[in-house]
Amino acid sequence: MQFEGEHLLPGRIGHFFVLLAFVASIISTIAYFIAARKTDLVEKRSWLNFARIAFTTQLVSAVIIFIAIFYICANHYFEYMYAYKHASKELEPKYLLACIWEGQEGSFLLWAIWHSILGIFIIFRSKEWEAPVMTVISLAQFFLLMMLLGFYVGDVRLGSNPFTLTRNEITGPIFSQPNYLTFIKDGVGLNVLLRNYWMVIHPPVLFLGFAATIIPFAYAYAGIQTKRFGDWVTPALPWALFSACVLGVGIMMGGKWAYESLSFGGYWAWDPVENASLVPWMILIAGLHTMVIFKATGHSLKASYLFAFLSFIFILYSTFLTRTGVLGDTSVHAFTDAGKAINIMILLFVAAFTLPALGLLISNLKKIPTIQKEETTNSREFWMFIGSLVFFLAAIFIIAKTSVPVYNKILGTKIAQPEDVEFSYNKVIVLVAIIIGLLSAVTQYFKYKKTEPGSILKKLAVPTVIAAIITVLLAVFYPLTYYKMGAGFLGAVYVALFATIYAVIANGMYIWTGLNGKLKAAGGSVAHLGFALMIAGILISSSNKNIISSSSANGINLQISGKDPLTKQTDNPLENLTLIRDVPATMGPYEVTYLRDSFGNEKGRRFYELLFQRKEAGTKKVLEQFTLWPDVYIMKDNNMSSNPDTKTYLTKDVFTFISYAINNDVPEDTTQFSIKEMAEGDTAFYSNGIIILNSVVKNPVNEKYNFKPTDAALMADLTLISKDSLHYKAMPLIQVDGMGVNQVDDTVYAQNMYVKFAGVTDGRKVKIGIKESDKLIQYVTLKAYVFPYINLVWLGLIIMALGLIMSAVKRAKLSTFYAALALLLGAAGLFYMFLFAN
């Protein structure tokens, strides 16, 4: 049968390059593996050239595949299943990239492209390490590209082809007709939670971090394979620093997305998918510290091997957790079950790297050189190792708790998550924060191998006193208010706060005194300072987070509640405030008014304009005002997904999201106005109260109107008093200009009433039109937080990333050219972020 309107050429091109990239990955893996074992230089060079050609081929092919998928989604070719599932005509162009990595196939492709790009850097810079390192990277490409094949072996499909046709994937009577595309009006579209500019920026950065962790892994493998057991650390360390920087930034970009796009009121909820990406980063941080120890003293080489292997192994394990559906009931981030074949392929991917790596490490354990003399407790390397060990154990604790669904599935157990999931993590991690904060402050003042105790105490005295004073001042003048978990936990939070402040002060002073202000050598101290500042921001913003949308003091409580999809905690209905349109309500220090709503570009998306005003006590003088536009996607069944909006100050954020809204599209109201003739001071009745005409104002100048003395306008100043003794203002107006007579009606939404200045009688009475509508009152329910000093979190992240990059540049001994190239790429990244943020 000849189907009408199909565009098959892009899919055929894309599928051809999927096959080419897969074959090229096999060839490059074999060629690099052989080259790594050749001792004859001519043969080795020949195999290397062959491998490079194959690897470059799969890079070019992967890029073409990406372009083909983008082309199909951008042109809404819904004959392709990938475009039908992830794209839609209403979708803003800036989200088309997010369509690609929303699906399993696109995210695997993105990962493969980053591996390819990093592989090119390895080819040009790794010299004698190229063959064994690239063997590992090419093998990873083999598994990633296999996920895109979509081949059937018997009844089992290997991978999922992004170019498969919709009519081959969905059964239905329309697909037996040659014109079936005329029945497909639109695609399913991007998940509404992902329609945020951070989802255009966050996944590429995160997957670059995922991809980069393979390089320390590959160097560790190369060290064992070539029997150069300690030499691999020098070229691997800059890559470990780069990986830690990019992966850390990518994870916190996810936190920023959650903060701006999800409605659980924060940037971290110990969600299993968040944890799965955090654990490899923590192990990587432990590993780069043990690498530094080895470079300085020769100690901790075995630990460096272990951490280098485990960082990438846990990247693969996180892939298993998030893509096999095992976390489907515990995380809103995880993919659903992609099928038995894909699950088996992912398990093979994990096993292919885990078993050989750990097997090689165990079998060569005795061959790895070790310094028999133990580190002394007054040496820098001892405390650096303790810190690395604490980080590693914390990572194991997190992944062990995260893997509960895996235990249940394998063992058939029914281990349940604790009622308060967040606290089950926080009570342990706060102790980790204390230890790491103190070690980050103290350790750098030690020297490698041995330090005089007296000199340490002298150098630490000043930062210790300053940190203690700052902590005491905060406790007195800005106390932490996280009383929810009792005095014991609050005390631990205070100790953690002291430790992080201590780390900030001590690292800052070390840069100034210990390094004499030499910033080129201060990458480690800068990174520690940034990390401590970030943790301090997390402690303060989380402890003093304040819900200001309480309906117990004012407003309407509709008893809207439920369980948050991320925190799993039951929402308190008294923390939600319902606003009736145009009726102000007090919210913390603000008076908030729901002014109107409007449609977005996407179907079902609605923005709500909320006016926040902070007024002088006892007066109506407005000291400050701003407008927020939180939005929701309202579905046909009135289910909704909420996107917050935030007012950012230097010292706080006002974070607001819609917790309940209804579809305000109702049939046109046919009720007619009834006319009341009133003189100033007269009273008229309506069904729910009385209306008083206070005065008639000529050319009014007030919060609603601003006429000139030469204009011709009359405003009726009305007061409505309802049966429950509530007072409302209304200011309908009539104006005469060159276009004729204009009437500006006013609406009292709380009374479902429209008021009109209908004219003036011969007896100089005012005609007031009153229409009491049967339409549903327009209202919206919202929740609002104040996050104090949350900018410390983002500032600390930036400083930490800067410190890691400084260390990577120093360790790699990059030339001015490469440093300039890195800055150029960084500037391009910032431009990319700015482009999609706007």
Side-chain angles (χ1 to χ4, degrees):
M1 182 185 295
Q2 184 68 35
F3 293 97
E4 299 173 5
E6 290 186 332
H7 305 81
L8 300 182
L9 182 59
R12 288 170 178 167
I13 293 172
H15 189 56
F16 168 78
F17 281 101
V18 168
L19 298 176
L20 181 60
F22 178 68
V23 173
S25 69
I26 297 173
I27 294 171
S28 64
T29 302
I30 296 171
Y32 271 123
F33 183 80
I34 295 172
R37 279 156 177 74
K38 290 293 181 181
T39 55
D40 182 271
L41 293 180
V42 175
E43 283 190 80
K44 189 181 188 75
R45 179 58 55 188
S46 175
W47 280 106
L48 279 174
N49 289 335
F50 185 44
R52 289 168 181 170
I53 292 170
F55 191 82
T56 304
T57 299
Q58 62 91 16
L59 166 60
V60 173
S61 299
V63 172
I64 292 173
I65 296 165
F66 188 92
I67 293 171
I69 295 175
F70 181 83
Y71 179 80
I72 286 169
C73 290
N75 287 281
H76 307 122
Y77 291 162
F78 297 131
E79 57 266 40
Y80 293 97
M81 189 65 184
Y82 206 82
Y84 176 72
K85 284 174 65 176
H86 304 294
S88 58
K89 294 176 181 178
E90 69 194 6
L91 197 65
E92 295 180 56
K94 66 181 179 181
Y95 295 136
L96 283 171
L97 286 173
C99 287
I100 298 177
W101 42 74
E102 181 192 29
Q104 294 253 26
E105 304 91 330
S107 56
F108 278 127
L109 177 63
L110 178 63
W111 191 351
I113 289 173
W114 279 130
H115 269 172
S116 302
I117 293 171
L118 294 172
I120 296 298
F121 280 93
I122 295 294
I123 289 171
F124 279 103
R125 287 189 56 83
S126 63
K127 299 178 182 177
E128 71 272 16
W129 293 100
E130 178 188 346
V133 170
M134 290 301 297
T135 300
V136 175
I137 295 175
S138 296
L139 180 62
Q141 292 295 85
F142 163 76
F143 281 101
L144 289 171
L145 293 167
M146 184 169 62
M147 304 293 180
L148 307 182
L149 284 179
F151 271 1
Y152 279 92
V153 178
D155 294 330
V156 178
R157 184 165 72 174
L158 295 178
S160 179
N161 184 356
F163 302 104
T164 189
L165 296 174
T166 306
R167 57 181 163 86
N168 294 333
E169 295 295 313
I170 301 177
T171 56
I174 66 166
F175 296 108
S176 62
Q177 302 181 39
N179 64 337
Y180 76 92
L181 281 175
T182 61
F183 297 98
I184 302 177
K185 303 301 182 183
D186 203 355
V188 175
L190 187 67
N191 186 315
V192 295
L193 291 176
L194 305 184
R195 298 183 188 189
N196 180 281
Y197 64 89
W198 280 110
M199 288 313 294
V200 183
I201 304 164
H202 157 60
V205 176
L206 186 67
F207 275 96
L208 175 57
F210 285 173
T213 58
I214 199 174
I215 298 180
F217 178 101
Y219 271 109
Y221 159 79
I224 294 177
Q225 191 264 318
T226 60
K227 307 304 180 185
R228 298 168 62 185
F229 291 106
D231 295 346
W232 66 276
V233 173
T234 299
L237 182 53
W239 285 108
L241 288 160
F242 171 79
S243 304
C245 172
V246 177
L247 184 56
V249 170
I251 291 168
M252 289 307 293
M253 278 184 171
K256 186 68 171 172
W257 160 68
Y259 180 65
E260 291 192 6
S261 189
L262 298 180
S263 57
F264 66 90
Y267 40 82
W268 196 264
W270 294 112
D271 180 83
V273 173
E274 295 172 342
N275 299 347
S277 60
L278 176 65
V279 165
W281 180 81
M282 294 177 71
I283 296 174
L284 188 61
I285 292 294
L288 69 85
H289 281 84
T290 56
M291 290 182 201
V292 171
I293 292 171
F294 174 76
K295 287 279 292 175
T297 68
H299 286 287
S300 300
L301 181 56
K302 292 179 181 178
S304 298
Y305 269 108
L306 180 64
F307 295 152
F309 283 147
L310 289 181
S311 59
F312 185 64
I313 287 171
F314 275 107
I315 288 288
L316 298 180
Y317 181 63
S318 73
T319 302
F320 165 76
L321 288 178
T322 57
R323 295 173 184 272
T324 58
V326 71
L327 296 180
D329 295 331
T330 58
S331 174
V332 296
H333 294 85
F335 290 92
T336 55
D337 193 341
K340 185 176 180 180
I342 287 286
N343 293 352
I344 292 172
M345 291 166 68
I346 293 173
L347 278 173
L348 287 174
F349 191 8
V350 177
F353 281 81
T354 303
L355 299 179
L358 297 182
L360 275 174
L361 179 60
I362 293 169
S363 62
N364 288 274
L365 206 57
K366 293 181 179 180
K367 300 176 185 178
I368 298 173
T370 305
I371 296 176
Q372 297 302 319
K373 184 183 177 182
E374 295 290 335
E375 303 99 322
T376 60
T377 56
N378 61 343
S379 64
R380 180 184 292 190
E381 62 269 26
F382 176 83
W383 294 109
M384 284 179 66
F385 182 78
I386 293 297
S388 299
L389 187 60
V390 170
F391 240 61
F392 173 67
L393 293 176
I396 297 301
F397 162 76
I398 292 169
I399 202 65
K401 282 183 62 64
T402 302
S403 300
V404 167
V406 180
Y407 313 148
N408 288 339
K409 196 161 191 176
I410 294 173
L411 303 175
T413 55
K414 296 182 179 180
I415 303 172
Q417 291 284 2
E419 186 176 347
D420 192 335
V421 176
E422 282 193 28
F423 183 65
S424 70
Y425 285 98
N426 289 342
K427 65 185 180 183
V428 174
I429 298 303
V430 72
L431 302 178
V432 175
I434 292 170
I435 297 169
I436 295 300
L438 294 175
L439 289 176
S440 297
V442 171
T443 302
Q444 63 202 327
Y445 285 91
F446 285 87
K447 294 179 181 179
Y448 286 110
K449 298 183 179 178
K450 190 175 182 180
T451 310
E452 294 299 326
S455 63
I456 288 291
L457 294 175
K458 185 177 180 181
K459 291 175 182 177
L460 287 173
V462 174
T464 304
V465 171
I466 293 174
I469 291 172
I470 292 174
T471 306
V472 170
L473 290 175
L474 283 173
V476 173
F477 295 105
Y478 188 70
L480 303 181
T481 58
Y482 194 78
Y483 306 119
K484 180 180 176 182
M485 295 303 167
F489 185 72
L490 182 59
V493 173
Y494 266 113
V495 177
L497 182 60
F498 164 76
T500 55
I501 294 171
Y502 189 22
V504 171
I505 301 297
N507 279 280
M509 292 190 68
Y510 184 76
I511 295 170
W512 184 256
T513 58
L515 299 174
N516 298 317
K518 296 177 182 177
L519 285 177
K520 286 185 178 180
S525 297
V526 171
H528 291 150
L529 188 154
F531 179 73
L533 188 64
M534 182 174 69
I535 299 301
I538 290 172
L539 291 170
I540 295 172
S541 62
S542 299
S543 296
N544 285 1
K545 178 176 73 173
N546 181 30
I547 298 172
I548 60 173
S549 53
S550 173
S551 61
S552 58
N554 73 106
I556 300 172
N557 177 15
L558 294 184
Q559 294 295 321
I560 294 162
S561 64
K563 282 198 173 182
D564 188 279
L566 286 177
T567 64
K568 308 299 182 186
Q569 299 299 303
T570 302
D571 194 23
N572 183 354
L574 293 179
E575 294 174 353
N576 296 268
L577 180 64
T578 297
L579 299 176
I580 295 172
R581 185 169 171 177
D582 283 346
V583 179
T586 302
M587 184 185 290
Y590 302 102
E591 184 179 88
V592 184
T593 308
Y594 159 38
L595 298 179
R596 63 189 176 99
D597 53 69
S598 59
F599 288 105
N601 294 327
E602 298 99 333
K603 184 179 180 181
R605 190 175 191 182
R606 193 185 292 268
F607 290 84
Y608 293 85
E609 183 179 3
L610 306 176
L611 175 65
F612 284 70
Q613 293 180 316
R614 184 168 58 86
K615 297 182 177 181
E616 189 174 62
T619 71
K620 293 186 177 182
K621 182 180 179 182
V622 177
L623 302 176
E624 174 200 11
Q625 74 175 36
F626 58 88
T627 302
L628 293 180
W629 289 86
D631 67 273
V632 297
Y633 286 89
I634 301 179
M635 315 305 176
K636 291 180 180 179
D637 55 0
N638 260 350
N639 284 330
M640 52 166 274
S641 170
S642 180
N643 291 309
D645 196 13
T646 305
K647 171 66 175 177
T648 298
Y649 296 87
L650 184 63
T651 59
K652 66 180 179 182
D653 276 5
V654 178
F655 174 96
T656 304
F657 69 92
I658 303 299
S659 52
Y660 184 76
I662 60 171
N663 194 332
N664 286 323
D665 299 332
V666 294
E668 182 179 354
D669 186 16
T670 57
T671 307
Q672 301 297 312
F673 281 95
S674 64
I675 304 298
K676 310 284 186 181
E677 296 183 2
M678 305 176 68
E680 290 186 348
D682 282 355
T683 298
F685 290 92
Y686 70 100
S687 64
N688 197 42
I690 61 172
I691 302 175
I692 302 171
L693 176 60
N694 301 313
S695 62
V696 177
V697 182
K698 183 179 179 183
N699 298 328
V701 177
N702 52 35
E703 64 271 20
K704 190 169 183 178
Y705 304 112
N706 187 22
F707 287 96
K708 299 176 184 177
T710 55
D711 290 332
L714 291 175
M715 182 197 80
D717 181 1
L718 300 169
T719 298
L720 285 73
I721 304 177
S722 65
K723 290 179 180 178
D724 51 8
S725 300
L726 294 177
H727 289 58
Y728 305 96
K729 294 291 293 183
M731 292 179 283
L733 177 134
I734 190 168
Q735 177 190 12
V736 180
D737 57 20
M739 302 295 293
V741 178
N742 299 316
Q743 293 174 323
V744 181
D745 299 346
D746 203 355
T747 308
V748 185
Y749 284 98
Q751 297 292 292
N752 246 17
M753 180 184 291
Y754 299 87
V755 186
K756 178 194 292 288
F757 196 134
V760 181
T761 66
D762 294 337
R764 301 186 65 81
K765 285 192 173 184
V766 175
K767 294 181 180 180
I768 300 295
I770 300 172
K771 181 169 75 170
E772 297 185 68
S773 175
D774 292 329
K775 286 173 62 177
L776 186 66
I777 296 175
Q778 288 185 307
Y779 68 90
V780 67
T781 302
L782 58 87
K783 193 169 186 176
Y785 300 87
V786 172
F787 280 96
Y789 299 99
I790 194 172
N791 285 329
L792 292 178
V793 177
W794 316 124
L795 177 62
L797 173 66
I798 293 169
I799 294 172
M800 181 186 72
L802 180 63
L804 289 168
I805 290 297
M806 289 167 61
S807 295
V809 169
K810 180 176 179 291
R811 294 283 179 179
K813 299 178 181 177
L814 292 177
S815 65
T816 305
F817 169 77
Y818 284 111
L821 180 62
L823 288 173
L824 182 63
L825 290 173
L830 288 173
F831 175 75
Y832 173 76
M833 291 173 64
F834 174 79
L835 181 68
F836 286 102
N838 293 278

